[in-house]
């Protein structure tokens, strides 16, 4: 029997505290979550030419977060987005990721910057164990071997190129081929994908060029392409390079069947290419804005972002949106007390999550790559849009 | 033959743009003894201002040209007065570092003021394709070659016959003696920055007209710098011609050796030339290198 009421109260409150702590292990173990907020971090290139993808992806994250917050947040907690600029410099990406994890103490990560940057931060992410969904630059190294806490949404560059070249080869049998690629890891991936189809389908490649990253004048390259007699051309540039190539071909008076890859599949490119860009083929795993899904996404986004942000929307906004939707859904399924372990387990259970901007997303036990379905599109200069062709 | 001519014309066109920017480098070096590592960024800013004028004020070529020239003058004067003049008398290394810092700021300004998307400069002309004996060339490319040649002649006359031109040469040769003769080095420096900004800005506007406008445009400065070294860091006219040589060399290498050699051909050329003439083809012997 306890004789002192004060001692009894102290004992009771200690017991209560112990019970409460036992019931809320996540709150003590995992950062980035309070009773009212959940912090999600991201590092993107917000300055320099690659800002085109970084800014757009961050807008996609913001749209998904704004949408979730408008619906009451994640089980009552509002999502706060912490965004850092890396200027597409790998050292700054590592610094930025460390900062958002260690200083801002975010609960989960989205993004992250380009392919090289994502690869470079992988050890940091693995060591931290923080739930991460990568959406900007899907490359095989990010999911092979699978890392427990890192999930990748998209499709591999190599698969994308294989899909595009296969399509163009089937559509243009017996034609002569030309290819030009950038002298970096992106270019190597494009070339590897191309070469695998060339070998399988025994394509006749009459021109194979390689340009230095940053090259702006393609007059001699395109003249060589013309002289080679190439009838089907895979333009392995990104944005400005593809524009320069197409305008050069227009100047030279030739118009081969041309394919471009998704990093350059943004609508303003068509305006700059003008008539030279009409009919070019592209491959992508996100919906074109000219389609019903694309229009619905833009309608949804308009009230959720500023006018300037709305103008910055491109395909990367869709990839960012899809990643944030999947992450938010996983945290939500963890209920009132989400933890890193639960979020990772729920991300793994992601099955056919519809985002409206790409095919439904799934992961699985040991599967950290969503392997999105690809589609071929064709440019229509009259409407400055890409339209699906299959 | 047609293949060679096409390579030469395209090389002259891009070389003329390099040449204009290279002349911008040389004007500042000749008048102040300084290598401006923000030249490519200044070129880019002027081109972006021209694009803004064309999309918000008027797409008329004269309005855009006058607006861009005025903007380039203001840009050059502001940089000289706010950033460079306080560095007068400071070690050259520190001053060069300031221009590098300025380059980073101007580069970032593109995203803050405009955006990362590529844009096309449309002034109603310059984008059409002319066929000269079966060789396709954009009218803007013809215009930039003609502009470079006219500017070369005008600058030669300016330095040779005008009072201000002679004063600039005097300051470049010996600023203390020039000061004793009543020439204001500060005014000459301000004029040099403004002139450099305008000349390279013209190159930037022509580039935007023939190609496009993007935040990567500052890299033109990196391509034009070898042209300045080749022509002579203190030789304004030589730098302009150096640009043409680099443009032609790049294109011939790209067309006959292989596309991968295009970007290194110009640099390979300056290594060879500098081994024979360390002060550049048209430069004077006593250049102090940074």
């Amino acid at each position: 029997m306890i004789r002192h009421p004060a001692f009894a109260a102290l004992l009771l409150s200690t017991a209560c505290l112990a019970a409460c702590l036992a019931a809320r292990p996540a709150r003590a173990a995992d950062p980035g979550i309070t009773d009212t907020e959940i912090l999600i971090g991201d590092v993107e290139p917000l300055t320099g030419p690659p800002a085109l993808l970084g800014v757009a992806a961050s807008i996609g994250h913001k749209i998904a977060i704004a949408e979730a917050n408008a619906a009451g947040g994640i089980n009552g907690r509002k999502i706060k987005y912490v965004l850092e600029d890396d200027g597409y410099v790998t050292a700054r990406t590592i610094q930025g990721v460390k900062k958002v994890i260690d200083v801002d103490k975010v609960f989960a990560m989205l993004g992250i910057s380009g392919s090289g940057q994502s690869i470079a931060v992988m050890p940091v992410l693995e060591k931290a164990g923080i739930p991460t969904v990568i959406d900007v630059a899907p490359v095989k190294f990010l999911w092979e071997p699978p890392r427990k806490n890192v999930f990748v949404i998209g499709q591999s560059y190599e698969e994308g190129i294989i899909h595009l070249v296969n399509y163009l080869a089937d559509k243009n049998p017996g034609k002569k081929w030309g290819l030009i690629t950038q002298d970096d890891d992106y270019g190597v991936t494009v070339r590897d994908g191309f070469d695998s189809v060339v070998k399988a389908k025994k394509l006749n490649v009459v021109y194979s060029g390689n340009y230095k990253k940053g090259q702006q004048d393609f007059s001699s390259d395109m003249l060589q392409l013309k002289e080679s007699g190439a009838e089907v051309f895979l333009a392995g540039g990104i944005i400005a390079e593809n524009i320069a190539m197409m305008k050069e071909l227009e100047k030279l008076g030739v118009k081969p069947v041309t394919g471009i890859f998704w990093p350059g599949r943004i609508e303003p490119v068509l305006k700059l290419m003008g008539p030279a860009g009409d009919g070019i083929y592209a491959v992508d795993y996100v919906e074109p804005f000219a389609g019903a899904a694309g229009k619905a996404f833009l309608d949804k986004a308009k009230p959720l972002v500023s006018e300037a942000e709305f103008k910055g929307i491109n395909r990367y906004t869709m990839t960012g949106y899809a990643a944030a939707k999947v992450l938010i859904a996983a945290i939500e399924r963890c209920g009132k007390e989400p933890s890193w372990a639960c979020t990772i387990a729920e991300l793994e259970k992601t099955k056919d999550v519809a985002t409206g901007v790409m095919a439904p997303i799934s992961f699985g036990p040991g599967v950290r790559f969503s392997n999105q379905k690809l589609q071929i599109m064709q440019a229509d200069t009259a409407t400055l849009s890409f339209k699906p062709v299959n | 033959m047609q293949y060679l001519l096409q390579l030469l014309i395209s090389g002259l066109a891009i070389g003329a743009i390099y040449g204009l920017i290279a002349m911008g480098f040389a004007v500042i070096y000749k008048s102040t003894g300084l290598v401006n590592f923000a030249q490519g960024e200044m070129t880019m800013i002027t081109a972006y201002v021209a694009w803004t004028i064309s999309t918000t004020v008027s797409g008329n070529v004269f309005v855009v040209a006058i607006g861009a020239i005025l903007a380039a003058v203001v840009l050059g004067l502001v940089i000289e007065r706010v950033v460079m003049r306080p560095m007068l008398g400071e070690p050259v290394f520190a001053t060069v570092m300031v221009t590098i810092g300025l380059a980073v700021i101007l580069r970032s300004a593109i995203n803050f003021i405009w955006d990362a998307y590529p844009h096309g400069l449309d002034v109603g002309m310059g984008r059409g394709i002319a066929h000269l004996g079966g060789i396709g060339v954009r009218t803007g490319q013809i215009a930039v070659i003609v502009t470079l040649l006219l500017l070369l002649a005008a600058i030669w006359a300016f330095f040779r016959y005008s009072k201000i031109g002679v004063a600039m040469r005097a300051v470049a040769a010996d600023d203390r003696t020039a000061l004793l003769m009543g020439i204001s080095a500060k005014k000459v420096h301000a004029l040099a920055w403004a002139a450099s900004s305008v000349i390279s800005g013209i190159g930037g506007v022509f580039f935007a007209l023939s190609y496009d406008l993007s935040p990567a445009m500052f890299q033109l400065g990196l391509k034009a710098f070898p042209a300045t070294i080749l022509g002579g860091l203190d030789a304004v006219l030589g730098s302009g011609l150096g640009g043409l040589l680099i443009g032609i060399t790049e294109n011939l290498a790209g067309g006959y050796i292989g596309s991968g050699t295009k970007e290194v051909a110009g640099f390979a050329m300056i290594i060879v030339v500098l081994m024979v003439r360390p002060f550049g083809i048209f430069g004077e012997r006593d250049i102090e290198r940074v």
Side-chain angles (χ1 to χ4, degrees):
Chain A
M1 185 180 171
I2 297 169
R3 291 185 180 188
H4 301 282
F7 180 69
L10 183 67
L11 204 64
L12 190 64
S13 43
T14 307
C16 269
L17 187 65
C20 288
L21 286 174
R24 303 172 66 185
R27 301 292 294 278
D30 301 326
I33 185 161
T34 67
D35 288 338
T36 55
E37 260 182 8
I38 290 182
L39 264 61
I40 292 179
D42 183 12
V43 179
E44 302 284 0
L46 305 176
T47 50
L52 198 64
L53 61 96
V55 171
S58 71
I59 293 168
H61 299 151
K62 284 178 191 171
I63 293 168
I65 289 169
E67 194 181 19
N69 281 341
I74 300 177
N75 295 316
R77 290 185 181 93
K78 295 284 181 190
I79 307 164
K80 196 176 160 192
Y81 182 50
V82 182
L83 179 62
E84 285 286 321
D85 176 23
D86 69 355
Y88 215 59
V89 177
T90 306
R92 286 178 63 192
T93 315
I94 296 170
Q95 198 181 19
V97 168
K98 282 183 174 171
K99 190 238 171 198
V100 292
I101 294 175
D102 298 336
V103 180
D104 297 311
K105 297 196 180 301
V106 297
F107 181 79
M109 290 289 299
L110 286 167
I112 297 169
S113 199
S115 54
Q117 288 77 10
S118 296
I119 291 168
V121 296
M122 200 52 80
V124 180
L125 296 171
E126 270 192 284
K127 193 180 169 196
I130 187 169
T132 303
V133 182
I134 290 177
D135 57 82
V136 180
V139 283
K140 249 178 199 166
F141 182 85
L142 302 176
W143 62 84
E144 277 184 11
R147 278 88 175 176
K148 192 183 173 204
N149 59 315
V150 181
F151 296 79
V152 184
I153 287 176
Q155 183 50 268
S156 75
Y157 285 169
E158 204 171 333
E159 279 304 312
I161 285 296
I162 290 170
H163 192 78
L164 176 64
V165 178
N166 267 323
Y167 175 84
L168 293 177
D170 292 342
K171 209 172 159 55
N172 302 279
K175 301 280 185 188
K176 293 178 194 165
W177 281 74
L179 161 82
I180 189 165
T181 52
Q182 196 162 278
D183 68 339
D184 61 359
D185 57 337
Y186 169 73
V188 169
T189 312
V190 171
R191 191 167 284 274
D192 286 348
F194 180 77
D195 286 345
S196 66
V197 185
V198 167
K199 207 173 164 187
K201 299 211 163 183
K202 295 186 172 51
L203 300 180
N204 178 17
V205 181
V206 292
Y207 172 75
S208 177
N210 190 35
Y211 71 88
K212 192 165 173 54
K213 192 176 178 180
Q215 185 173 318
Q216 291 166 314
D217 172 45
F218 288 87
S219 47
S220 60
D221 312 83
M222 293 304 103
L223 189 58
Q224 279 190 319
L225 180 82
K226 180 188 173 184
E227 290 294 306
S228 72
E231 297 159 291
V232 187
F233 173 46
L234 185 65
I238 301 182
I239 293 170
E241 300 86 359
N242 285 347
I243 297 168
M245 287 178 209
M246 296 313 293
K247 285 172 76 174
E248 204 61 47
L249 288 174
E250 182 188 37
K251 195 178 87 182
L252 295 171
V254 286
K255 192 162 186 187
V257 174
T258 302
I260 63 166
F261 199 27
W262 63 67
R265 194 195 64 79
I266 57 168
E267 279 69 12
V269 161
L270 296 180
K271 192 176 173 189
L272 289 167
M273 285 180 180
D278 197 33
I280 60 170
Y281 291 91
V283 62
D284 208 334
Y285 54 88
V286 301
E287 294 290 338
F289 287 109
K295 283 175 186 162
F297 177 72
L298 291 175
D299 288 343
K300 184 191 289 179
K302 198 155 198 175
L304 299 174
V305 291
S306 68
E307 200 178 323
E309 285 173 329
F310 190 75
K311 283 183 186 165
I313 288 176
N314 61 38
R315 68 166 299 282
Y316 290 100
T317 312
M318 286 185 167
T319 64
Y321 175 78
K325 286 286 279 184
V326 165
L327 176 65
I328 290 166
I331 302 172
E332 203 156 34
R333 290 197 297 273
C334 287
K336 288 281 180 191
E337 302 299 338
S339 64
W340 283 8
C342 172
T343 304
I344 291 166
E346 286 302 326
L347 276 170
E348 192 173 85
K349 286 179 202 161
T350 296
K351 180 79 181 159
D352 293 333
V353 170
T355 59
V357 294
M358 58 178 76
I361 296 166
S362 299
F363 297 115
V367 179
R368 295 295 185 264
F369 170 52
S370 72
N371 199 8
Q372 292 307 122
K373 189 183 165 208
L374 292 160
Q375 60 176 321
I376 300 290
M377 303 166 191
Q378 194 170 17
D380 177 24
T381 303
T383 55
L384 294 178
S385 61
F386 287 90
K387 291 178 176 169
V389 292
N390 58 349
Chain B
M1 188 63 184
Q2 199 157 356
Y3 184 77
L4 172 66
L5 287 174
Q6 183 77 57
L7 286 174
L8 286 175
I9 287 186
S10 298
L12 279 174
I14 190 70
I17 291 169
Y18 296 157
L20 287 165
I21 301 167
M23 285 164 74
F25 275 110
V27 165
I28 288 180
Y29 185 85
K30 193 172 176 66
S31 309
T32 68
L34 180 73
V35 177
N36 173 26
F37 283 99
Q39 199 71 45
E41 285 73 8
M42 288 171 66
T43 303
M44 177 168 67
I45 293 280
T46 303
Y48 266 88
V49 171
W51 174 72
T52 303
I53 294 168
S54 74
T55 52
T56 57
V57 181
S58 167
N60 181 289
V61 65
F62 296 106
V63 174
V64 173
I66 292 166
I69 288 170
L70 288 176
V73 168
V74 171
L75 178 69
L77 290 177
V78 167
I79 289 173
E80 191 279 328
R81 184 67 191 87
V82 178
V83 184
M84 303 316 299
R85 197 175 294 181
M87 295 303 292
L88 268 179
E90 299 298 333
V92 174
F93 179 75
T95 316
V96 168
M97 288 308 293
V98 165
T99 69
I100 293 173
L102 180 67
V104 175
I105 292 168
L106 293 179
R107 213 177 296 166
S108 301
I110 296 297
N111 275 64
F112 294 128
I113 302 171
W114 291 279
D115 56 39
Y117 279 94
H119 298 285
L121 177 61
D122 187 3
V123 291
M125 56 177 72
R127 295 184 161 239
I129 299 168
H131 293 278
L132 309 173
I135 295 164
V137 58
R138 292 202 185 268
T139 50
Q141 292 182 311
I142 299 171
V144 72
I145 297 169
V146 172
T147 303
L148 175 75
L149 296 176
L150 290 176
L151 262 175
L152 285 173
I155 287 171
W156 176 81
F158 173 78
F159 279 118
R160 183 79 179 80
Y161 299 112
S162 81
K163 199 175 167 184
I164 304 170
V166 173
M168 286 176 85
R169 283 164 57 201
V171 171
D174 187 341
D175 56 351
R176 290 188 183 188
T177 309
L179 188 68
L180 291 172
M181 294 177 76
I183 298 168
S184 166
K186 286 177 184 171
K187 280 185 186 169
V188 167
H189 287 184
L191 181 66
W193 276 88
S196 164
S197 179
V198 170
I199 296 168
S200 62
I202 291 171
V205 170
F206 272 113
F207 182 85
L209 203 58
S210 301
Y211 299 87
D212 64 18
L213 201 59
S214 82
M217 203 177 145
F218 72 89
Q219 290 171 353
L220 281 174
L222 305 177
K223 299 299 295 292
F225 188 62
T228 313
I229 299 292
L230 183 68
L233 201 46
D234 62 343
V236 180
L237 305 183
S239 295
L241 296 173
L244 294 177
L245 279 174
I246 294 275
I248 290 171
T249 307
E250 276 184 356
N251 256 28
L252 290 179
Y256 285 109
I257 304 173
S259 54
T261 60
K262 184 170 183 159
E263 294 291 295
V264 294
F267 289 93
M269 186 184 180
I270 63 166
I271 289 172
V272 173
V273 169
L274 290 184
M275 285 167 79
V276 183
R277 286 181 68 88
F279 36 87
I281 297 174
F282 304 97
E284 288 176 20
R285 218 167 252 283
D286 59 346
I287 292 174
E288 184 189 335
R289 301 206 177 276
V290 179

